Amino acid sequence: MFFMRLLIIEDDSDSAIYLAKAFREEGHVADHAADGLTGYAMAEGGGYDVLVVDRMLPRMDGLSLIRSLRAQNDTTPVLILSALGQVDDRVKGLRAGGDDYLPKPYAFSELLARVEVLSRRRAVAASAEPTHYKVADLELDRLTRKVTRAGEDIALQPREFRLLEYLMRNAGQVVTRTMLLENVWDYHFDPQTNVIDVHVSRLRAKLDKGQAVPLLQTVRGAGYSLRVEAR
């Protein structure tokens, strides 16, 4: 058995108390939020291995909560626990960013097994990815979410950070607009949209401002590349 820190976002106090007690008896830490906004604030603070989220929550519904976390580049695994168990309900939950969906009523043994699977997958994925990227004098740390160039801190919005992380992961290569839409925005639509150009322009202004050597290059007719161009 391994240790997990869980957040239960559930407005039914009896269900939440039961779940928290059951998880703790298995040796895990289980926190509880009784509404969507509180749950979002707690989840946003980080540190949880898995979120167990009810769909029908006061103040912010479960799917909105998940979408908001994903928009902030929060990849914490989410298991949706809901009385809404039809196929369409499950599809909506997964498309909103949920990683698994378990309809009520449920057996705790199955819930525990599913949560353990999500936690293990996250641990494996995290161990396989580098936590630090460096291109020339530009550095990005995934764990601290810190970006510096020539030792100077660069403040980035969550989407800018995710965009830069993807570019640094593919440093020296050309990445297309479609690649960025699918891997940074998780969207599949017209690559001619200017959402990419707007965000790249903002990111470039932060990265290359006041620098003698630009790093974020536009490759005409192809996309973008993070690299030092030969002179």
Side-chain angles (χ1 to χ4, degrees), residues 163-171 175 180 203 216 224 226:
L163 173 59
L164 178 60
E165 180 184 350
Y166 185 76
L167 289 167
M168 295 190 79
R169 194 184 307 151
N170 296 278
V175 296
L180 291 174
L203 180 60
L216 185 44
Y224 304 97
L226 196 69

Side-chain angles (χ1 to χ4, degrees), residues 112-205:
L112 178 62
R114 287 172 181 251
V115 167
E116 288 174 344
V117 167
L118 292 178
S119 183
R120 283 198 299 267
R121 284 177 183 169
R122 188 188 195 200
V124 170
S127 65
E129 291 184 16
T131 59
H132 186 270
Y133 295 97
K134 188 175 191 301
V135 177
D137 58 354
L138 177 66
E139 298 185 59
L140 178 149
D141 191 303
R142 292 178 54 244
L143 298 181
T144 62
R145 303 189 69 79
K146 184 176 182 180
V147 176
T148 62
R149 182 161 188 197
E152 296 292 324
D153 289 346
I154 300 175
L156 299 180
Q157 296 297 316
R159 185 71 68 182
E160 294 169 342
F161 184 92
R162 188 173 178 185
L163 173 59
L164 178 60
E165 180 184 350
Y166 185 76
L167 289 167
M168 295 190 79
R169 194 184 307 151
N170 296 278
Q173 304 176 40
V174 175
V175 296
T176 66
R177 289 174 174 81
T178 299
M179 290 167 64
L180 291 174
L181 284 171
E182 293 181 353
N183 291 279
V184 179
W185 276 263
D186 299 322
Y187 295 157
H188 297 266
F189 59 81
D190 184 3
Q192 300 304 314
T193 178
N194 71 344
V195 65
I196 297 294
D197 305 276
V198 170
H199 280 80
V200 168
S201 178
R202 291 174 181 168
L203 180 60
R204 179 185 284 121

Side-chain angles (χ1 to χ4, degrees), residues 36 53-57 60-67 80 96:
V53 181
D54 185 27
R55 276 191 61 168
M56 301 173 67
L57 295 167
M60 176 187 276
D61 69 86
L63 299 193
S64 295
L65 183 155
I66 296 167
R67 290 191 189 98
I80 301 171

Side-chain angles (χ1 to χ4, degrees), residues 3 7 11 36 51 91 94 109-110 140 177 185 189 198 203 221:
F3 170 80
L7 175 60
D11 63 323
L51 310 179
V91 168
L94 296 173
S109 57
E110 181 181 2
L140 178 149
R177 289 174 174 81
W185 276 263
F189 59 81
V198 170
L203 180 60

Side-chain angles (χ1 to χ4, degrees), residues 36-110:
L37 281 181
T38 302
Y40 175 74
M42 292 174 68
E44 195 177 27
Y48 292 104
D49 296 299
V50 180
L51 310 179
V52 178
V53 181
D54 185 27
R55 276 191 61 168
M56 301 173 67
L57 295 167
R59 301 183 71 201
M60 176 187 276
D61 69 86
L63 299 193
S64 295
L65 183 155
I66 296 167
R67 290 191 189 98
S68 297
L69 288 173
R70 299 304 185 231
Q72 295 298 315
N73 196 30
D74 189 316
T75 58
T76 305
V78 175
L79 184 145
I80 301 171
L81 198 60
S82 176
L84 301 175
Q86 298 300 313
V87 172
D88 287 347
D89 298 319
R90 299 198 299 272
V91 168
K92 287 178 182 177
L94 296 173
R95 285 182 172 168
D99 298 278
D100 199 355
Y101 197 114
L102 184 60
K104 299 177 181 179
Y106 59 90
F108 178 73
S109 57
E110 181 181 2

